[in-house]
Amino acid sequence: MSIIKVKILFALFCSFYTVLCVSAQTEKLKYGGITWNEKDLNELEKAFSGVYYQFNYMIKREGILEKKSDTLFLASGTTQSVFLDPTYKEELENQRKSRITRSKKAKLINPEYEKINDIAELINVNSDYKEDDAGDPVQIYKNRNKGLISSVYNSYTKHIKCEQEVEEMAHWQMVEGTDTILTYPCQKAVVSYAGRDYTAWFAPEIPINDGPWKFWGLPGLILKVTDTQELFEWKAIGLENIDADIVINKGNYDNANPVQFRDFIDRVTGTVVVSFYNNNVLYFTNRERAYSKIPIELFEK
């Protein structure tokens, strides 16, 4: 659709976008999954629209609220889309290759310790300490024809999926108020979902029934969403035409309900993998994050 123009606002994306353009000349872009092997991917739909969102969210560090930001991406087709961290797959693969390289240099690998405190005394300035954190591992797939939202987690050993029919996205309430985002006039709407109240601004000039995270269902692309407590904000910072495939990892998925999926993600993202050398021995262990994330969805257990 010609109305969607490239509007990358920050220099951070300029180099990343250039890389994408160069690679697109030789290989079609694929959004979703974590494998680079096309035989292990299912193609769901062609994507023609790409939207970068800045996701601002609050965390707790030593009991004090602190703001953090990530850049996420929506690849949208005629009826389906995927919302994800656009660098996650590449970072995950780079870290996998790095661990292999580091393992080959070691005379011995010692993975027996579970927590970094168990071996903290071994770490020193010459230990070649490294932390692995690929980013946001959750990919949100929407099938708008079926009204189905699928939250997906993939790793090299485990696949988990949570499928929901989020009825609330069919019950937006239009309210008075306008805004201009990326030069597009936007109208205002509100909705309640999973214990939080949200305000969205959507652009009728962009006839794509989609938005960030699990939001959709308005007569125009959703360019901004905030919650009433000002804990979370998704705001579009760049739009582009794309020619890509929406894909998902093949394989057997463990099914989870929303509470189980949320709690699982909390566990796997609550620690980071660390590695370091000591006397030619490579140690792998985990370190708890220095902060905790505030849950977006307030489902009761």
Side-chain angles (χ1 to χ4, degrees):
M1 295 185 178
S2 59
I3 60 172
I4 301 179
K5 303 176 182 178
V6 177
K7 297 183 177 181
I8 304 301
L9 300 184
F10 295 99
L12 172 64
F13 303 117
C14 292
S15 59
F16 179 62
Y17 178 67
T18 301
V19 171
L20 290 182
C21 290
V22 172
S23 62
Q25 294 175 4
T26 57
E27 183 177 347
K28 193 170 186 179
L29 293 174
K30 298 183 184 300
Y31 291 104
I34 62 168
T35 181
W36 292 88
N37 188 344
E38 293 189 14
K39 294 181 180 179
D40 296 327
L41 292 170
N42 277 331
E43 181 182 322
L44 301 180
E45 190 172 272
K46 306 293 183 185
F48 58 83
S49 168
V51 189
Y52 289 97
Y53 289 90
Q54 181 172 307
F55 176 42
N56 300 315
Y57 57 100
M58 303 300 291
I59 62 169
K60 278 189 177 181
R61 192 188 302 268
E62 297 181 351
I64 300 175
L65 286 176
E66 179 181 318
K67 182 179 177 180
K68 287 182 70 68
S69 295
D70 288 331
T71 301
L72 304 176
F73 186 74
L74 175 69
S76 187
T78 304
T79 64
Q80 300 190 60
S81 64
V82 61
F83 184 70
L84 44 66
D85 181 337
T87 64
Y88 179 74
K89 178 159 55 174
E90 183 175 3
E91 283 296 317
L92 201 64
E93 179 66 7
N94 288 341
Q95 290 173 9
R96 184 186 71 85
K97 291 179 179 178
S98 175
R99 285 195 291 269
I100 292 173
T101 300
R102 287 165 65 82
S103 298
K104 289 180 178 178
K105 293 193 299 183
K107 291 183 178 179
L108 179 67
I109 300 174
N110 192 334
E112 66 179 87
Y113 299 96
E114 293 185 358
K115 298 295 181 183
I116 197 169
N117 291 338
D118 297 336
I119 45 178
E121 68 278 3
L122 298 179
I123 302 173
N124 54 57
V125 293
N126 299 316
S127 64
D128 192 17
Y129 180 90
K130 189 175 185 296
E131 295 187 5
D132 284 349
D133 184 0
D136 188 345
V138 179
Q139 302 180 358
I140 306 293
Y141 291 86
K142 300 190 194 87
N143 186 320
R144 301 187 296 277
N145 274 354
K146 296 182 178 180
L148 189 66
I149 296 175
S150 301
S151 303
V152 172
Y153 168 85
N154 295 123
S155 72
Y156 296 121
T157 58
K158 195 172 188 66
H159 301 319
I160 295 179
K161 181 186 293 185
C162 171
E163 294 190 337
Q164 300 171 264
E165 293 182 5
V166 183
E167 296 180 358
E168 291 89 338
M169 296 306 156
H171 299 288
W172 289 93
Q173 180 181 353
M174 302 297 179
V175 295
E176 292 187 2
T178 60
D179 198 354
T180 301
I181 302 171
L182 297 178
T183 74
Y184 290 100
C186 293
Q187 297 179 18
K188 190 176 181 181
V190 296
V191 74
S192 296
Y193 168 65
R196 297 194 186 279
D197 298 323
Y198 294 98
T199 300
W201 286 262
F202 67 96
E205 290 184 13
I206 308 178
I208 301 174
N209 180 9
D210 214 335
W213 194 51
K214 298 183 179 182
F215 300 109
W216 69 288
L218 287 168
L221 181 64
I222 300 172
L223 295 181
K224 182 180 176 181
V225 182
T226 60
D227 74 298
T228 53
Q229 293 182 295
E230 299 184 344
L231 297 172
F232 309 98
E233 179 190 64
W234 297 261
K235 186 175 182 179
I237 55 174
L239 310 177
E240 63 177 336
N241 293 316
I242 61 175
D243 180 14
D245 294 327
I246 300 170
V247 296
I248 190 170
N249 262 50
K250 293 180 181 178
N252 296 321
Y253 282 81
D254 293 331
N255 294 318
N257 63 38
V259 174
Q260 292 169 334
F261 189 85
R262 180 198 63 189
D263 293 347
F264 174 81
I265 295 300
D266 284 346
R267 288 196 300 273
V268 297
T269 60
T271 60
V272 293
V273 177
V274 301
S275 60
F276 65 94
Y277 289 101
N278 186 272
N279 293 327
N280 291 322
V281 177
L282 180 60
Y283 292 82
F284 283 100
T285 185
N286 297 304
R287 180 183 67 78
E288 291 185 4
R289 287 192 184 277
Y291 61 85
S292 60
K293 292 185 176 182
I294 296 174
I296 303 177
E297 296 165 298
L298 300 178
F299 297 117
E300 295 183 3
K301 296 191 176 184

